[in-house]
Amino acid sequence: MGGRSGIFAGDDPFKIAKRWLQKAEKTELNDPNAIALSTVDDLGMPNVRMVLLKEIDTNSFVFYTNYGSCKARELDNARRAAFVLHWKSLRRQIRVRGLVGREEGAVADEYFNSRSLKSRLGAWASRQSEPLSSRKVLLAEVARIGALYGQSPPRPSFWGGYRVTPIEIEFWADGRFRLHDRFVWRRATPNDEWLTQRLSP
């Protein structure tokens, strides 16, 4: 195991990731669950943007978005993605590469209904990544949706979640003199056992 102990201890990388995120929730000033999500388009040109990670379960990482967005189109086409969680307050980061699938059932419904009313109306009103003539037009659409659905807008069919099921997870912690600690977990497929290695900084 290359001397994994302390903050790196454990046999389950998802439990380690949850532990690090819980620690960051106490120390990071804003959005400790923010991830820089990387996708590629049909030509292989990369794209990266910040999104909010909403769940770490027993085998995947989950976030939500508009299925008509640029990121969603790239996720659906490539079925692969990478992201990084980085916490300046802890001087730690987690890098993930994996396979992507949609989460659009009861779990997505439950999360959508847990959001504030304004966020739910905004999800309906926004045609994410499409040209917008003015903010006034967007706010008018929010008002129209509010009048239509009132206090209980359902989850739109064009909005839901994505699960990133990793084949690689790297845990990184800052070290003195830039001698950082890095441990990577790899598996060929989501059904295989993890192999772990210490990496040079």
Side-chain angles (χ1 to χ4, degrees):
M1 292 294 183
R4 279 195 303 106
S5 60
I7 63 172
F8 296 98
D11 296 324
D12 184 336
F14 298 98
K15 290 182 179 179
I16 299 172
K18 285 182 181 180
R19 193 170 69 233
W20 283 28
L21 178 55
Q22 288 168 357
K23 177 73 172 178
E25 287 170 348
K26 300 174 182 176
T27 62
E28 199 72 5
L29 182 61
N30 292 309
D31 297 328
N33 60 329
I35 62 175
L37 174 70
S38 178
T39 58
V40 294
D41 66 16
D42 291 339
L43 299 177
M45 179 66 74
N47 245 330
V48 65
R49 79 288 285 162
M50 304 303 295
V51 300
L52 296 180
L53 181 69
K54 291 301 180 179
E55 181 185 1
I56 303 174
D57 68 11
T58 58
N59 200 43
S60 63
F61 299 82
V62 185
F63 60 91
Y64 293 86
T65 191
N66 185 309
Y67 288 145
S69 66
C70 178
K71 78 173 87 58
R73 292 193 299 270
E74 292 175 354
L75 289 166
D76 288 338
N77 289 338
R79 296 291 179 177
R80 292 169 177 80
F83 70 80
V84 61
L85 280 154
H86 177 246
W87 302 294
K88 288 186 176 181
S89 61
L90 297 179
R91 298 181 180 272
R92 299 182 199 173
Q93 70 179 20
I94 301 174
R95 296 174 60 235
V96 175
R97 301 170 69 215
L99 309 179
V100 176
R102 285 189 178 188
E103 172 54 71
E104 49 190 345
V107 172
D109 291 339
E110 182 179 359
Y111 171 67
F112 184 80
N113 291 330
S114 75
R115 305 176 87 208
S116 71
L117 176 60
K118 289 183 178 179
S119 292
R120 283 178 283 153
L121 295 175
W124 270 100
S126 174
R127 296 297 181 258
Q128 198 173 101
S129 301
E130 293 184 11
L132 179 66
S133 59
S134 70
R135 185 169 183 82
K136 182 179 179 180
V137 170
L138 177 62
L139 295 178
E141 182 63 8
V142 171
R144 187 187 73 81
I145 294 295
L148 180 64
Y149 289 112
Q151 299 293 306
S152 302
R155 179 176 64 86
S157 60
F158 55 81
W159 191 98
Y162 283 97
R163 290 185 177 275
V164 180
T165 302
I167 56 171
E168 183 175 307
I169 306 176
E170 180 189 318
F171 297 90
W172 178 101
D174 182 64
R176 294 184 65 194
F177 311 113
R178 303 193 67 78
L179 299 178
H180 312 307
D181 286 309
R182 298 173 63 190
F183 289 92
V184 64
W185 301 64
R186 291 190 178 105
R187 56 186 180 181
T189 77
N191 296 320
D192 292 329
E193 295 293 321
W194 289 107
L195 299 176
T196 61
Q197 283 182 310
R198 177 187 278 274
L199 302 178
S200 295

